[in-house]
Amino acid sequence: MIRNTIVLFLMMSLLSCAMTSDTEESQQPERIRDAENLLVRGVADYSQSDYLQAGIFFTRALHLYRSIDNPQGIVLSCINLAKTSLVTGDILRAEAFVDKAKSILHSSLLLQREHLINYLAIVDSSIKIEKMEYHAAKEILQPLLDTAYSKQSEINIAAVQNRLRIAIEEQASDAFVWMQSYSDLLQLSESPRLNQNARLLRFKAALNDNVEEQNQNYNMALNLYRQAAHRMGIAATLEEWAQQQYENQYYHAAANKLRRALFIRIELKDRRNSQAILVILQKIYRQSGNRAKEKQSVLWLEQLSSVEFAQWNNLLGDYNNYP
Amino acid sequence: MREKRLQVRTHYIHRIKYSTQERLVGSFVLLAIILLVWLLFSSGKSLINFEEHYLLYGQLETIQQIDENTEIIIGGLSAGRIQAVKITHDNHIIVVMEIPKRYKRLIRTDSIARLNAFDLGMINQSIIEISVGSPKQAILEDGHTIVITETASIKNLLAKFVPSVEALFATINRVNTLLSGIEQQKLEKTLNNIDSLVAAVDPAQIKSLLENLHFIINNAGDGIPVRINSIDKIVSAIDLEKLRQTTNNINLLIAAVNPDLISAAMANLHMTTNDIKVVIGQIKKGKGLVGRSIYDRKIEQNFVQTISHLSHATEQLDRLLSLLNKEMENMPGLLNKIEPLINEADKTIKATQKIWPISSAIEKKGNKKILISAEPLND
């Protein structure tokens, strides 16, 4: 009886051992796990539109990865930092991180190397678009566009999005073709995000000459972005819409949208786009004969150029002098 | 005899034919498989999966944590699941609900669908509750749309308190403005002057002044002449220099006070006194809780009783607090004892998580997102 119990017990132990699988996590050194957790937290903050906090986490991750000379981690941190810099309008910083990531990718054999190279191409093309180097951007995107329909990956969709943006910026005749491709890919995508649908509506508005339909598309895009609390999207839509209204000489409506967009850009600590908004605001006030507001816009331009980020929030509290 | 004993000891399994043995073992195995299958299909959710369903569309204004795990409750019964959430061209949110056909007769045209969203910190769950319709009403057929009303979430409820808090802040700001109108230095100076003025007054002289006044008042009725000597003393008791200084200080004090603020304060005071007047009038008439408690015997008794109960409750609370204090003193020791136990439990839980059936349900490390989505957001 006792012997049977012992045998049964041993069998159970053996079974438990067989079912127990040591996870990958416990095998990883603590430093790598810490750095990876920092990346995870940064990505979570980025998806919540908290780019400042995301940047802090990615910088800490980069330091940690550099301290253990981990090229995979350094590349991931650099790509994330490049994207974070890009959304906050710091193009030079974004470019520096892309160059760093490129040099490591070309000199080391990393996991998912091809995926990282493609990903980097998207970030690089975005930088080129911001710098209005459209020809270079198109060349970077071409290999990804060739496989867009066959692969239909997130990177391919992003490539078509950037290509469509170039076509719109260049006022090219093939803009409608690219918009159809983008729309088709979103339809084929398993779960298109709210902001991707909103982006499509913004593209439609930009390519539409009918003011009423344009307004409708912008309004729908704005609503979708608001549902997702997507700060970048809201600001960009307001800016584009305001630009259209400025061109159609609806100065009051355009100024109202630009002021709202300016608040978001300042909140995001985006110096470049904040300054761009203020330049248009200044033009609007000058054309509508509002001297006082025009002066305030100039004053704000000077302040945003000289004041440190930490003190920007003090500017927002000053409602009486808000441009 | 020996043969017979041996025959008795032999297990029945050895006495039956080989084919019968096989059949028996097979039937046990079959029974186990049948049991397993029965267990698999008998659970509620599995049954639902094999049932016939029909689709109902729910129209919503906002998505409040709705996903495929959102439960649908029909008349208290858990029934159906969310198949998809769609956004229409006119920006309405449509929820596609998959309902088992056996519940079809419960959902009628007068059924009310309500979305209960629990958004409390970590608990983010929504339930769609559909009330059972009247049998007299028509059944909602496949593909029909039902409007889902949304209950106020905790966040919305809290938002309702915001105006009250803002009003409170506005009041604090007004009080601050009122206080900032008073110049501290001038106030200090005035107070010092009042101090020195009070110190300058000789109590003996005041006393003699009052005696003289008393004498004057007493004798005034009889037409006796005022004692000029005493008035002289009064006049001589006043220090003219100090009197001038005091007048100056009073002037400064008046200048320091903002007339607008004072008039506003006076207006408020006037309103308050009016209110008090009304309240006192009500009380005198025996109206209101206070008035009735003064004039009504029964309320007075109740009031006294309540006070005694309150006192009793306070004593009990006091005792309770002293007990709680003692317990709290023991708390650090208790925590120290619990700590190793918690650590052990933590280890056990972590070890359990690695065992096969549980480990498969836990999210793999590879699912963590360490790279931002490729979608360009900079435009």
Side-chain angles (χ1 to χ4, degrees), chain B residues 2 12 20 49 52 78 84 102 165 174 191 205 227 237 241 263 272 285 349:
Chain B
R2 199 177 168 192
Y12 78 97
T20 321
N49 286 335
E52 272 193 87
S78 177
R102 62 185 160 127
V165 177
R174 278 206 296 276
L191 286 172
Q205 283 180 342
R227 286 169 69 177
E241 186 53 38
S263 69
T272 314
K285 285 175 190 169
I349 289 166

Side-chain angles (χ1 to χ4, degrees), chain A residues 118-127 140-141 144 155 158-159 162, chain B residues 374 376:
Chain A
N118 290 340
Y119 191 106
L120 211 56
I122 296 292
V123 186
D124 203 11
S125 68
S126 297
I127 292 170
I140 294 168
L141 289 172
L144 295 170
I155 288 177
N162 269 357

Side-chain angles (χ1 to χ4, degrees), chain A residues 83 119 130 154 199 202, chain B residues 370 372-373 375 377-379:
Chain A
K83 280 213 82 172
Y119 191 106
E130 291 299 323
E154 192 192 16
R199 188 68 189 96
R202 264 169 62 205
Chain B
I370 52 172
I372 299 169
S373 143
E375 187 196 353
L377 294 184
N378 50 303
D379 56 345

Side-chain angles (χ1 to χ4, degrees), chain B residues 137-175:
Chain B
Q137 300 292 329
I139 292 172
L140 275 184
E141 292 298 334
D142 191 2
H144 267 88
T145 303
I146 187 167
V147 177
I148 302 174
T149 53
E150 292 158 53
T151 50
S153 69
I154 298 289
K155 278 178 187 171
N156 292 341
L157 285 174
L158 285 175
K160 286 184 183 172
F161 286 100
V162 171
S164 311
V165 177
E166 279 173 355
L168 188 68
F169 276 118
T171 312
I172 291 167
N173 283 339
R174 278 206 296 276
V175 171

Side-chain angles (χ1 to χ4, degrees), chain A residues 19 21 28 36-37 46 76 80 83 119 130 154 161-162 165 193-195 199 202 220 223 232, chain B residues 63 87 89 91 93 354-357 359 365 368-379:
Chain A
M19 289 197 298
S21 61
Q28 262 188 348
E36 208 175 282
N37 284 338
Y46 183 94
L76 287 171
N80 285 338
K83 280 213 82 172
Y119 191 106
E130 291 299 323
E154 192 192 16
Q161 185 182 327
N162 269 357
R165 195 177 159 211
R193 296 194 195 93
L194 274 181
N195 36 317
R199 188 68 189 96
R202 264 169 62 205
M220 279 163 71
N223 281 337
M232 282 288 303
Chain B
I63 305 173
I87 297 165
H89 288 297
N91 285 355
I93 292 152
K354 290 175 190 172
I355 295 172
W356 163 63
S359 66
K365 196 176 132 281
K368 284 180 184 175
K369 280 196 89 177
I370 52 172
L371 199 61
I372 299 169
S373 143
E375 187 196 353
L377 294 184
N378 50 303
D379 56 345

Side-chain angles (χ1 to χ4, degrees), chain B residues 86-358:
Chain B
K86 292 176 179 173
I87 297 165
T88 60
H89 288 297
D90 50 347
N91 285 355
H92 281 297
I93 292 152
I94 298 289
V95 179
V96 185
M97 296 179 282
E98 207 179 69
I99 314 273
K101 273 197 173 166
R102 62 185 160 127
Y103 296 117
K104 194 175 178 181
R105 61 189 177 81
L106 297 178
I107 307 170
R108 309 267 175 166
T109 47
D110 63 336
S111 291
I112 296 164
R114 199 182 294 120
L115 171 72
N116 294 319
F118 305 103
D119 189 5
L120 292 165
M122 288 173 74
I123 310 163
N124 291 324
Q125 204 194 352
S126 299
I127 292 171
I128 293 175
E129 213 178 333
I130 304 173
S131 68
V132 176
S134 159
K136 289 173 188 171
Q137 300 292 329
I139 292 172
L140 275 184
E141 292 298 334
D142 191 2
H144 267 88
T145 303
I146 187 167
V147 177
I148 302 174
T149 53
E150 292 158 53
T151 50
S153 69
I154 298 289
K155 278 178 187 171
N156 292 341
L157 285 174
L158 285 175
K160 286 184 183 172
F161 286 100
V162 171
S164 311
V165 177
E166 279 173 355
L168 188 68
F169 276 118
T171 312
I172 291 167
N173 283 339
R174 278 206 296 276
V175 171
N176 270 343
T177 322
L178 206 66
L179 290 174
S180 63
I182 299 167
E183 282 181 41
Q184 200 189 349
Q185 282 180 334
K186 284 185 180 175
L187 196 68
E188 253 175 51
K189 204 173 167 185
T190 310
L191 286 172
N192 287 340
N193 288 331
I194 291 168
D195 264 3
S196 59
L197 194 69
V198 171
V201 176
D202 183 359
Q205 283 180 342
I206 294 289
K207 196 182 170 189
S208 104
L209 183 73
L210 286 171
E211 277 171 4
N212 288 335
L213 275 172
H214 189 66
F215 181 80
I216 292 161
I217 290 159
N218 282 343
N219 295 310
D222 300 332
I224 294 167
V226 175
R227 286 169 69 177
I228 304 299
N229 193 24
S230 295
I231 291 167
D232 276 355
K233 276 184 185 173
I234 294 165
V235 172
S236 66
I238 298 165
D239 185 340
L240 279 174
E241 186 53 38
K242 279 184 180 169
L243 191 66
R244 198 168 65 238
Q245 211 176 353
T246 311
T247 321
N248 285 341
N249 288 332
I250 289 166
N251 279 340
L252 279 171
L253 188 68
I254 289 164
V257 177
N258 186 346
D260 291 341
L261 290 176
I262 291 293
S263 69
M266 286 305 287
N268 280 337
L269 197 66
H270 184 67
M271 274 166 69
T272 314
T273 49
N274 277 343
D275 287 348
I276 291 169
K277 203 172 156 184
V278 173
V279 172
I280 288 172
Q282 300 269 5
I283 291 169
K284 273 186 178 174
K285 285 175 190 169
K287 286 182 183 172
L289 186 67
V290 180
R292 270 184 282 143
S293 62
I294 292 169
Y295 293 102
D296 193 327
R297 275 267 165 237
K298 204 175 167 184
I299 290 177
E300 189 191 341
Q301 277 173 1
N302 283 343
F303 189 65
V304 171
Q305 212 173 4
T306 311
I307 295 286
S308 74
H309 284 160
L310 202 65
S311 150
H312 187 62
T314 315
E315 279 171 20
Q316 279 187 338
L317 194 70
D318 209 27
R319 275 204 294 275
L320 201 70
L321 281 173
S322 65
L323 279 170
L324 204 66
N325 259 343
K326 278 183 192 169
E327 292 296 326
M328 288 299 282
E329 280 167 13
N330 294 330
M331 199 59 105
L334 200 68
L335 284 173
N336 286 338
K337 282 178 189 171
I338 289 171
E339 200 184 345
L341 276 174
I342 291 172
N343 288 338
E344 281 302 312
D346 187 45
K347 276 182 196 170
T348 314
I349 289 166
K350 276 181 182 166
T352 318
Q353 283 173 351
K354 290 175 190 172
I355 295 172
W356 163 63
I358 300 165

Side-chain angles (χ1 to χ4, degrees), chain A residues 57-72:
Chain A
F57 281 128
F58 293 144
T59 311
R60 280 173 60 194
L62 177 64
H63 285 195
L64 215 53
Y65 279 126
R66 285 181 72 187
S67 75
I68 50 173
D69 196 29
N70 183 325
Q72 182 89 27

